[in-house]
């Protein structure tokens, strides 16, 4: 059943829920490329007005991708928590926005609500929210996870240390890793994107970081961001696998293009848990996502890229991840054209993920063919910091020399912690103080000559 | 790095302003990453900010640099190569960036150019090279000719078709070009997405039996062709190997494995196997 709205003499019709959601979204190049975007600003607003009056129940009755055809839809509907939903079951999308913004809807209430909200509901309400709404509600959400340290506590901001090297050279990786640790980064994870899919090379990198971590007793976790099947093989080969990484999408077909399904993710999670390497908790999945991945894989099925992105979070939610990272500007300008679109998408992703109960971080980033620059990244970094993002990336000088894109730097993370008074994960903070890297206020110290990491640097 | 400013001045600047240098700058020899930058408070020293922004400026300029097709055509003519010029349906750079689908199709004026060539030549070519601007015309201007000079003498008996210069082109444009010329194989030389330290990286995409509708899985890619990455000599050698393999197999793509030996030291080639070309 379709929808329609009149604005003055103009009448707009929306064929189904998919079309309504797509046309209600803020302008972005990916939806235009897919032929799903609103044809005029008035049509966009007409769609939003219809959406605002839509009862939330409708999302349980009409799937944007058919239940029979898609295991992500089945996951969403089969795991929907009716009792959590009861609190909002009589609301429309517009009323949900107001409910979320109300002072009475506090951290505990949002936590209780999470399992009653489907990705489509979250996407829908985000389309009616301004940037400040996305920030305010996300800031009320608290999602705490743990493996070897505790992430997501109030007043904390963690950093993934990303010491990539163009040829996976061990000394090159170690050099960037030392650089990041000396800037107080690495509490979220020390995570390397490998240049090759070669299994012995991946195992060697896992061993390198694990040897380093144990030798210097760094309370963090490591990850080599390779395909889940490689991580499984590494586990079989006895390698020290802390976290299992995988890129995920919001439809079965997208995940197929990534070479995965839910069963494979379950297998990998069980295999990594069987190693019992977590000391503080057993959240050990690390997922990356990004708007546009479904369109890029010709698997969007007529659904807009933001709604599909939130559906990917439903996949993540099923695996109690330690970290979920929206790699927001990596995909390129045909999906997110400029700084404005990237900033908006970053705030949407963070809000929707947190609303669903996920430990959201963001790779605040752009490519050189997008209309964006460092100022745009500063803006998004600051906005997400205010919104309480769990973690951001730390790349030396913001320049990833292996993946050829710009992310956030160790300096950027230090800036955000300084300007917002944020601290790192408590276990990691204690280690930084013990190691003479930071003082008890979190201020970076000039390294003393005998500082252990400095000695390692001298002997590398 | 696109540009490195002398570090001595930076050090002097810092002493005056209170910049703290990072006492591990000896690690810089192990990685091209921007490590040991020092800090002013928690922020970057001025010199590091300017170096980064200069690299970004060069990369941005590379994306928007307009291909000098006349110069390329002249240089190819001087080498005795027949040259054709075509354009994709993405009329300008803004459209090109937003609409990859249009960059994969020829514009209306280009098809007759290729049809005429084919009508005038009896034999179908074994190989057509497409010289595509992609996301860095700079890469094409700098590395296409040296690569062609390495490649062509080794082609032996193969019939080489015209050199096709293509503007606002994505990789798949080669499918339509190759099909219209009746080529057995097409290789698209294309400017890759510029990185901060690589504004001029060239990618080579081989497609056997080109025709519209071929997928990326049916191509083989050689990435990061530039003096600081894979040399033209090495790239031409690997391309010849892949072309021969594809002829024997009757197909290109994932079925065709690149088992040419790794370069000395055994390290993977930077960017190898991670095509960042404008697909």
């Amino acid at each position: 059943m379709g929808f329609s709205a009149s604005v003055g003499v103009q009448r707009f019709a929306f064929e189904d829920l998919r079309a309504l959601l797509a046309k209600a979204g803020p302008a972005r190049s990916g939806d235009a490329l897919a032929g799903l975007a609103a044809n005029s600003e008035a049509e966009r607003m007409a769609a939003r007005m219809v959406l605002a009056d839509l009862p939330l129940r409708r999302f349980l009755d009409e799937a944007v991708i058919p239940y029979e055809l898609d295991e992500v839809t089945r996951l969403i509907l089969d795991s929907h928590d009716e009792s959590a939903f009861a609190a909002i079951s009589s609301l429309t999308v517009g009323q949900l926005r107001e409910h979320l913004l109300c002072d009475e809807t506090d951290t505990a209430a949002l936590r209780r609500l999470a399992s009653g909200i489907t990705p489509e509901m979250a996407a829908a309400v985000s389309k009616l929210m301004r940037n400040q709404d996305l920030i305010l509600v996300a800031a009320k959400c608290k999602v705490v996870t743990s493996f070897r340290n505790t992430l997501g506590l109030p007043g904390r901001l963690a950093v993934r240390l990303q010491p990539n090297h163009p040829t996976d050279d061990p000394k090159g990786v170690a050099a960037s890793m030392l650089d990041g640790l000396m800037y107080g980064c690495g509490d979220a994870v020390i995570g390397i994107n490998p240049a090759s899919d070669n299994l012995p090379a991946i195992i060697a990198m896992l061993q390198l970081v694990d040897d380093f971590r144990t030798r210097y007793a760094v309370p963090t976790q490591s990850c080599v961001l390779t395909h889940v099947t490689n991580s499984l093989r590494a586990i079989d080969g006895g390698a020290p696998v802390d976290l299992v990484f995988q890129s995920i999408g919001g439809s079965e077909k997208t995940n197929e293009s990534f070479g995965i399904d839910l069963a494979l993710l379950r297998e990998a999670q069980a295999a990594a848990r069987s190693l019992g390497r977590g000391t503080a908790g057993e959240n050990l999945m690390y997922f990356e996502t990004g708007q546009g991945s479904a369109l890029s894989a010709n698997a969007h099925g007529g659904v807009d890229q933001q709604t599909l992105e939130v559906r990917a979070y439903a996949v993540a939610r099923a695996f109690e991840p330690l970290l979920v990272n929206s790699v927001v500007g990596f995909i390129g300008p045909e999906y997110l054209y400029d700084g404005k679109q990237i900033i908006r998408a970053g705030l949407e992703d963070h809000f929707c993920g947190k609303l669903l109960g996920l430990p959201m971080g963001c790779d605040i980033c752009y490519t050189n063919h997008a209309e964006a620059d460092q100022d745009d990244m500063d803006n998004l970094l600051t906005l997400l910091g205010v919104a309480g993002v769990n973690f951001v990336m730390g790349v030396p000088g913001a320049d990833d020399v292996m993946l050829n894109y710009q992310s956030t730097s160790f300096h950027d993370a230090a800036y955000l912690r300084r300007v917002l008074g944020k601290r790192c994960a408590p276990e990691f903070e204690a280690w930084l103080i013990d190691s003479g890297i930071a003082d008890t206020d979190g201020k970076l110290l000039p390294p003393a000559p005998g500082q252990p990491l400095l000695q390692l640097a001298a002997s590398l | 790095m696109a540009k490195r400013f002398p570090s001595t001045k930076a050090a002097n600047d810092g002493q005056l302003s209170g910049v703290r240098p990072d006492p591990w700058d000896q690690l810089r020899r192990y990685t091209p990453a921007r490590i040991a930058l020092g800090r002013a408070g928690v922020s970057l020293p001025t010199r590091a900010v300017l170096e980064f922004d200069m690299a970004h400026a060069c990369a941005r300029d590379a994306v928007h640099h307009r291909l000098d097709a006349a110069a390329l055509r002249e240089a190819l003519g001087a080498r005795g190569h027949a040259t054709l010029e075509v354009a994709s349906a993405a009329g300008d750079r803004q459209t090109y960036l937003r609409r990859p689908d249009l960059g994969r199709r020829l514009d209306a004026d280009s098809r007759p150019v290729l049809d005429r060539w084919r009508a005038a030549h009896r034999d179908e070519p074994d190989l057509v090279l497409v010289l595509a601007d992609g996301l860095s015309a700079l890469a094409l201007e700098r590395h296409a000719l040296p690569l062609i000079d390495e490649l062509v003498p080794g082609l032996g008996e193969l019939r080489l078709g015209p050199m096709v210069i293509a503007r606002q082109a994505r990789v798949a444009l080669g499918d339509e070009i190759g099909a219209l010329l009746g080529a057995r194989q097409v290789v698209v030389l294309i400017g890759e997405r510029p990185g901060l330290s690589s504004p001029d990286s060239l990618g080579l995409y081989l497609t056997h039996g080109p025709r519209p509708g071929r997928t990326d899985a049916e191509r083989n890619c050689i990435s990061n062709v530039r003096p600081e990455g894979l040399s033209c000599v090495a790239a031409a050698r690997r391309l010849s190997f892949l072309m021969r393999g594809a002829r024997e197999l009757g197909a290109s793509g994932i079925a065709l494995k690149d088992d040419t030996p790794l370069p000395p030291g055994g390290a993977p080639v930077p960017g190898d196997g991670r095509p960042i070309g404008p697909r």
Side-chain angles (χ1 to χ4, degrees):
Chain A
M1 190 187 72
F3 309 89
S4 65
S6 295
V7 180
V9 294
Q10 277 187 294
R11 191 178 154 79
F12 298 102
F14 308 102
E15 196 181 336
D16 53 19
L17 196 51
R18 286 182 313 176
L20 185 67
L21 286 166
K23 293 193 188 270
R28 63 198 46 175
S29 48
D31 291 333
L33 179 62
L36 302 173
N39 294 307
S40 67
E41 293 303 323
E43 186 184 26
R44 188 188 321 284
M45 284 317 302
R48 279 188 201 168
M49 287 179 170
V50 174
L51 190 61
D53 290 338
L54 194 71
L56 292 175
R57 276 254 165 242
R58 180 68 183 256
F59 293 96
L60 301 175
D61 299 335
E62 184 179 344
V64 294
I65 302 178
Y67 184 90
E68 310 75 47
L69 300 181
D70 188 281
E71 69 168 355
V72 178
T73 302
R74 291 197 289 277
L75 173 71
I76 291 166
L77 293 176
D78 294 351
S79 63
H80 183 248
D81 181 348
E82 272 289 342
S83 64
F85 179 65
I88 54 169
S89 61
S90 60
L91 303 185
T92 62
V93 178
Q95 289 167 334
L96 177 61
R97 173 183 168 274
E98 292 157 352
H99 179 73
L100 295 174
L101 289 166
C102 276
D103 290 339
E104 292 73 24
T105 309
D106 57 10
T107 302
L110 287 164
R111 178 72 254 182
R112 286 193 300 272
L113 205 53
S115 56
I117 296 180
T118 66
E120 289 83 357
M121 292 175 198
V125 75
S126 77
K127 291 173 196 292
L128 302 183
M129 293 169 81
R130 282 174 40 193
N131 285 2
Q132 65 164 273
D133 302 342
L134 298 173
I135 292 169
L136 191 149
V137 178
K140 291 197 283 184
C141 296
K142 184 175 90 174
V143 182
V144 178
T145 56
S146 56
F147 186 74
R148 218 171 261 122
N149 56 25
T150 314
L151 302 171
L153 292 168
R156 308 276 174 173
L157 171 80
V159 181
R160 168 191 164 191
L161 205 173
Q162 184 170 312
N164 296 345
H165 185 274
T167 60
D168 297 338
D169 178 71
K171 286 186 178 179
V173 169
S176 290
M177 192 164 69
L178 285 169
D179 197 59
L181 289 167
M182 294 302 278
Y183 274 80
C185 297
D187 44 351
V189 61
I190 299 174
I192 308 166
N193 297 89
S196 94
D197 278 338
N198 181 273
L199 189 65
I202 286 163
I203 290 176
M205 266 185 286
L206 284 165
Q207 201 63 58
L208 169 91
V209 182
D210 199 57
D211 289 348
F212 172 84
R213 180 189 63 76
T214 46
R215 180 168 166 202
Y216 293 92
V218 194
T220 191
Q221 36 282 330
S222 62
C223 186
V224 173
L225 284 74
T226 185
H227 194 265
V228 63
T229 51
N230 287 334
S231 295
L232 271 169
R233 289 196 296 158
I235 290 170
D236 283 345
V241 174
D242 285 347
L243 307 187
V244 173
F245 165 82
Q246 185 55 47
S247 291
I248 54 171
S251 72
E252 184 175 329
K253 268 182 79 178
T254 310
N255 286 329
E256 202 177 285
S257 81
F258 289 138
I260 59 154
D261 58 19
L262 298 174
L264 182 60
L265 293 177
R266 276 187 210 105
E267 183 188 343
Q269 183 187 30
R273 279 197 173 162
S274 75
L275 301 179
R277 295 175 59 82
T279 49
E282 58 173 12
N283 302 113
L284 50 66
M285 299 300 280
Y286 174 8
F287 293 119
E288 286 193 350
T289 65
Q291 293 188 24
S293 64
L295 174 57
S296 170
N298 288 320
H300 63 81
V303 182
D304 68 274
Q305 65 184 35
Q306 191 247 338
T307 300
L308 282 165
E309 170 73 6
V310 192
R311 283 170 54 98
Y313 303 157
V315 174
R317 182 157 70 166
F319 298 94
E320 303 169 308
L322 182 76
L323 307 161
V324 178
N325 180 22
S326 161
V327 190
V328 70
F330 185 75
I331 192 160
E334 59 268 46
Y335 304 93
L336 295 169
Y337 187 69
D338 55 14
K340 184 177 170 74
Q341 293 188 6
I342 292 171
I343 288 168
R344 173 74 197 181
L347 293 174
E348 287 168 352
D349 293 353
H350 177 253
F351 160 78
C352 290
K354 284 279 173 76
L355 191 61
L356 263 56
L358 288 171
M360 292 304 293
C362 188
D363 189 343
I364 296 158
C365 62
Y366 65 106
T367 59
N368 288 315
H369 60 318
E371 293 292 325
D373 61 20
Q374 292 301 96
D375 290 334
D376 296 308
M377 299 303 105
D378 289 347
N379 291 349
L380 182 53
L381 177 69
T382 308
L383 295 173
L384 281 173
V386 174
V389 70
N390 279 32
F391 65 99
V392 296
M393 304 301 112
V395 177
D399 173 12
D400 190 306
V401 293
M402 201 282 282
L403 293 174
N404 272 327
Y405 77 118
Q406 285 89 261
S407 182
T408 47
S409 66
F410 307 136
H411 294 75
D412 291 333
Y415 146 78
L416 198 59
R417 283 172 172 164
R418 171 70 55 87
V419 78
L420 294 179
K422 299 262 187 184
R423 296 152 62 164
C424 48
E427 300 86 347
F428 193 80
E429 183 178 35
W431 177 81
L432 289 178
I433 295 166
D434 283 350
S435 310
I437 295 173
D439 66 16
T440 50
D441 294 328
K443 203 170 153 210
L444 293 172
L445 296 169
Q451 207 281 334
L453 294 189
L454 204 56
Q455 286 186 331
L456 174 65
S459 68
L460 205 64
Chain B
M1 293 296 107
K3 216 152 221 169
R4 278 270 184 225
F5 293 89
S7 59
T8 42
K9 183 164 186 309
N12 293 339
D13 287 352
Q15 279 162 14
L16 290 175
S17 64
V19 161
R20 288 188 188 284
D22 291 329
W24 55 88
D25 57 337
Q26 79 276 12
L27 296 183
R28 292 180 87 146
R29 71 190 132 133
Y30 298 124
T31 176
R34 292 168 197 262
I35 62 167
L37 298 176
R39 56 190 173 88
V42 295
S43 304
L44 285 172
T46 303
R47 186 65 49 170
V49 173
L50 293 176
E51 281 189 8
F52 182 101
D53 288 348
M54 175 58 87
H56 185 233
C58 292
R60 297 283 298 152
D61 284 349
V63 169
H64 293 277
H65 174 71
R66 191 177 158 80
L67 177 66
D68 188 350
L72 199 53
R73 192 169 184 147
E74 193 178 326
L76 289 165
R79 288 162 164 80
H81 297 302
T83 310
L84 303 175
E85 271 184 64
V86 299
S88 82
D92 54 43
R93 195 81 319 204
Q94 297 309 316
T95 311
Y96 176 81
L97 291 174
R98 283 177 188 267
R99 294 289 304 271
D101 53 328
L102 297 181
R104 301 184 192 115
R105 295 205 306 261
L106 287 169
D107 72 355
D109 295 340
S110 295
R111 278 185 216 103
V113 173
L114 300 172
D115 287 339
R116 275 197 299 276
W117 191 89
R118 186 166 182 189
H121 294 79
R122 195 169 50 87
D123 294 327
E124 292 182 338
D126 292 311
L127 173 68
V128 163
L129 299 181
V130 176
L131 285 63
D133 51 2
L135 284 167
S136 173
L138 213 55
L140 196 71
E141 290 176 0
R142 288 184 182 164
H143 312 314
L145 290 169
L147 183 93
I148 288 169
D149 290 345
E150 287 296 331
L151 183 72
V152 170
L155 292 178
E157 300 293 295
L158 291 182
R159 273 192 309 276
L160 180 62
M163 300 287 171
V164 182
I165 299 172
R167 284 183 190 281
Q168 311 294 5
R170 298 214 174 235
V171 172
L173 192 69
D175 293 343
E176 194 177 355
I177 295 169
L180 287 171
L181 293 175
R184 200 169 158 211
Q185 291 186 334
V186 65
V187 174
V188 180
L189 289 59
I190 192 163
E192 296 185 312
R193 195 182 80 197
L196 281 195
S197 50
S198 55
D200 63 343
S201 177
L202 191 71
L204 314 177
Y205 288 79
L206 165 68
T207 310
H208 189 88
R211 55 176 159 77
R214 287 283 187 204
T215 68
D216 293 328
E218 295 173 296
R219 312 182 202 289
N220 296 90
C221 169
I222 299 172
S223 185
N224 198 31
V225 180
R226 59 191 179 103
E228 301 81 5
L230 188 67
S231 72
C232 285
V233 176
R237 193 166 57 230
R238 289 175 65 192
L239 182 58
S240 300
F241 173 90
L242 288 171
M243 291 188 320
R244 189 166 57 244
R247 283 196 302 276
E248 286 165 7
L249 194 67
S252 53
I254 45 174
L256 173 62
K257 296 296 177 203
D258 175 8
D259 48 6
T260 47
L262 289 173
V269 177
D272 193 24
R274 285 177 177 266
I276 50 173
R279 286 177 290 157

